[in-house]
């Protein structure tokens, strides 16, 4: 496995049960190295033993200039990203040392199949946080529910997505 693929899949070592705390941190590190995340100021971080997405409002992220509202595509990108990284984490959580090579393969090819976003409120706030939960984790794919809130914990957008691996 090359370095890029190893880094993207969280740099998890074969043959041992992956420490959950290490998995969380490594997946965040992999996502945070993504050029688009660095460009947009989006970061994945571990809070209360879960991965969450975080970014601050910036002028470059505004979609509605007249009302200074976050671009819907930015919200959708964060929701899709948090859904994917939490799905990866769930695959590792469920994996045994014997299954780890297959799990790393699944993580490396995880891709969004379908996503529906509902915009609940105008995207106003100093910062935004996105979280995800697993609705179903199967052998070949999963379904995730994601929510993004602003600095006042007001729901801005929610999504449901299917990922294949």
């Amino acid at each position: 496995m090359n370095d890029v693929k190893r880094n993207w899949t969280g740099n998890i070592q074969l043959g041992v049960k992956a420490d959950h705390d290490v998995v969380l941190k490594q997946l965040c590190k992999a996502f945070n190295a993504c050029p688009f995340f660095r460009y947009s100021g989006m970061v994945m971080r571990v809070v209360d033993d879960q991965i969450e997405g975080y970014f601050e409002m910036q002028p470059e992220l505004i979609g509605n200039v007249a009302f200074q509202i976050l671009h819907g595509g930015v919200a959708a990108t964060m929701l899709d990203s948090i859904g994917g990284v939490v799905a990866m984490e769930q695959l590792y959580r469920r994996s045994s040392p014997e299954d780890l090579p297959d799990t790393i393969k699944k993580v490396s090819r995880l891709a969004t199949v379908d996503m529906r976003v509902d915009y609940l409120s105008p995207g106003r706030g100093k910062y935004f946080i996105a979280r995800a939960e697993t609705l179903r984790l199967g052998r070949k794919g999963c379904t995730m529910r994601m929510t993004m809130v602003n600095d006042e914990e007001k729901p801005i957008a929610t999504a449901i997505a299917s990922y294949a691996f």
Side-chain angles (χ1 to χ4, degrees):
M1 184 183 313
N2 65 36
D3 286 342
V4 172
K5 189 173 179 182
R6 190 175 8 267
N7 288 339
W8 179 248
T9 58
N11 243 340
I12 307 304
Q13 302 300 314
L14 294 177
V16 294
K17 177 71 174 163
D19 178 276
H20 188 251
D21 189 49
V22 171
V23 169
L24 293 172
K25 289 176 182 172
Q26 288 296 100
L27 287 170
C28 288
K29 183 179 175 184
F31 266 73
N32 293 341
C34 172
F36 179 77
F37 271 29
R38 287 197 311 258
Y39 173 78
S40 65
M42 294 179 181
V43 295
M44 295 293 175
R45 61 189 189 181
V46 179
V47 176
D48 297 330
D49 200 37
Q50 293 184 330
I51 298 175
E52 68 177 26
Y54 173 89
F55 66 97
E56 295 179 3
M57 178 59 111
Q58 301 172 47
E60 299 82 13
L61 303 179
I62 291 173
N64 184 322
V65 179
F67 293 100
Q68 297 294 294
I69 296 170
L70 182 71
H71 191 287
V74 175
T77 298
M78 177 52 84
L79 291 168
D80 185 28
S81 297
I82 192 66
V85 74
V86 171
M88 291 175 179
E89 179 267 329
Q90 290 294 304
L91 284 166
Y92 281 125
R93 184 187 294 256
R94 188 185 206 202
S95 182
S96 68
E98 300 79 34
D99 300 333
L100 205 49
D102 188 47
T103 300
I104 290 171
K105 265 192 218 175
K106 287 179 179 180
V107 167
S108 71
R109 61 182 185 230
L110 187 135
T112 309
V113 174
D114 185 53
M115 184 171 82
R116 174 197 162 92
V117 178
D118 291 309
Y119 298 97
L120 307 173
S121 300
R124 293 189 183 100
K126 295 176 187 163
Y127 61 84
F128 301 92
I129 296 172
R131 298 177 184 99
E133 65 177 310
T134 306
L135 298 178
R136 181 182 184 281
L137 186 63
R139 289 183 304 113
K140 295 182 180 184
C142 63
T143 303
M144 307 293 290
R145 177 184 301 143
M146 300 80 73
T147 303
M148 189 176 82
V149 298
N150 67 7
D151 55 301
E152 298 174 350
E153 285 292 317
K154 183 176 183 179
I156 301 299
T158 187
I160 292 184
S162 297
Y163 299 87
F165 40 77

